[in-house]
Amino acid sequence: MATEHLSPLDLAFWRIESAAHPMHLGALAVFTAAGRRGARAAERAAELLTARCATVPGLRRRIRDVLLPVGAAAWSPDPHFDPARHVFLLRTDEPLAHTAAGPLMARPLDRDLPPWEAHVLAGPDPDSFAVLFKFHHALADGLGALALAAALFDEGSDLRPPARPVPEPAPGSEQRAGSALRRLPGVLAARVQEVGQALEIGAAVARAGLPLGVPAALTAEASGTGSRTVAGVALDLDEVNLVRKAAGGTVNDVLISVVAGALRRWLEGRGDPAPSGPGPRALIPVSRRGRPGGGGNRLSGYLLRLPLAERDPLLRLDRVRAAMDRNKDAGPARGAGAVALLADHVHPLGHRLGGPLVAQAARLLFDILVTSVPLPGLTFSLGGSRVREVYPLAPLAHGQSLAVAVSTYKGTVHYGLVADAAAVPDLPALAEALRAELDALVREVS
């Protein structure tokens, strides 16, 4: 069997991880307990996850170093795979699953095992329970993690995409290629294009790399403990669409604008100095896969300044929309947000030796992560217990205090917030500020 090496980007995520800054994604799913027996339904969920995970090949593989290429790593079956080391049942007195999820998100995955875990949280509410899924970013991006998790749910939640034919090139397309590239061998031409793209992205990173207008609350320079806190809020998608239709733009534009406005409200509530300057740089990941399915990462991204200094909610939305339009016109393979593509130009040994340095440099690239994970229009269930809320959770880079992830499920927008617990002790206040900002936008357009 041929060795399956980690892709350059997967390898980068594997190498930049540290104990204080684990590189796993999370998803906190809140279930309505079947039969209104929360404790028993949670036990049943843990039993099903334990039985089903052994049947999913992608969840039985671990990562190991290889001799060649030097510095590379590859996937291999875990010969001693034990579901009990990946699925856990936790009984908690916490009324909110988010509270219990914080310490679990802080704990790195065992790097000697297949890099994922599922924690079933049985709380005091007899009508519900929760499951926190953790997948290392080297295993999958958001869509890939969704496909892996869906394989553990009840039948009917299969997200594997149907096979699609590869389109044939249009007649005459080769003749229309530029004369200079036409004279070069195909491999050399591709190499020239790749180097040119890398130089362009690098130059864009340098131009965008000034941390201007970044509130102190968004940095965690002094925190190396790896402590985490988690919060979430569910908002009405109909209200988001109401704003979109009245003000223009896309749903994603509105969701990003809500983050910007919530950050401003949150800072004001803390008594911090009024935001000024261009604003913090938000990295907006962009999936390069057409549909969910498969493992690994296929990511690029956009970079934009969140207009925190703008007081008017609709003007904030207008500025976000304009910035996103400029990013889309340039495309996800250009600009400072496409920095993930640079991983393809680094030798595996460079990832091994330079990973810790890259991890330390995250603050030079962006100030806050704002990512969206689209969910299909399916109803997920586990042992008959239905998922009613899904909060995506993103990893937190070194020197940054906050990461924001958002998903839409069954007509509801779910914001998942992960923060450095020492730098952001008041994360629930930010969650409420998200709700207040959407309310303000709705009032503006009503």
Side-chain angles (χ1 to χ4, degrees), residues 81-285:
F81 179 76
D82 181 359
R85 303 181 73 177
H86 297 271
V87 180
F88 308 92
L89 176 61
L90 175 63
R91 302 184 188 281
T92 174
D93 294 330
E94 300 290 349
L96 295 176
H98 301 93
T99 307
L104 295 174
M105 283 297 291
R107 190 175 71 193
L109 295 166
D110 190 330
R111 292 171 69 89
D112 292 326
L113 300 176
W116 69 276
E117 291 176 352
H119 298 265
V120 182
L121 309 176
D125 184 355
D127 297 332
S128 68
F129 65 94
V131 179
L132 173 65
F133 294 98
K134 294 168 57 177
F135 296 96
H136 199 286
H137 220 323
L139 175 63
D141 57 19
L143 289 174
L146 174 64
L148 287 171
L152 302 173
F153 288 127
D154 293 342
E155 188 175 354
S157 299
D158 191 349
L159 300 183
R160 289 174 295 181
R164 291 180 294 171
V166 177
E168 296 292 334
S173 60
E174 294 183 1
Q175 286 71 23
R176 292 195 295 269
S179 58
L181 290 179
R182 187 171 60 242
R183 290 192 298 266
L184 292 173
V187 173
L188 179 58
R191 248 357 212 162
V192 169
Q193 290 176 333
E194 290 173 358
V195 172
Q197 180 192 44
L199 292 174
E200 181 181 8
I201 294 172
V205 169
R207 290 193 299 270
L210 296 177
L212 302 174
V214 183
L218 293 185
T219 64
E221 298 292 354
S223 176
T225 63
S227 59
R228 294 289 180 269
T229 183
V230 169
V233 65
L235 304 178
D236 191 340
L237 180 60
D238 287 341
E239 293 187 344
V240 173
N241 276 315
L242 175 66
V243 175
R244 176 189 62 82
K245 292 175 182 178
T250 67
V251 166
N252 202 43
D253 293 340
V254 177
L255 298 179
I256 296 171
S257 178
V258 167
V259 172
L263 286 172
R264 179 184 172 87
R265 292 173 181 274
W266 175 61
L267 293 169
E268 288 177 343
R270 291 163 55 106
D272 289 4
S276 61
R281 300 158 300 171
L283 178 64
I284 316 292

Side-chain angles (χ1 to χ4, degrees), residues 49 60 66-67 88 126 269 370 374 413:
L49 291 173
R60 297 175 58 95
V66 295
L67 293 177
F88 308 92
V370 182
V413 176

Side-chain angles (χ1 to χ4, degrees), residues 20-45:
H21 294 90
M23 284 290 111
H24 52 253
L25 309 168
L28 183 64
V30 181
F31 291 77
T32 298
R36 294 185 174 272
R37 297 187 302 274
R40 180 66 191 106
E43 292 173 3
R44 174 61 175 158

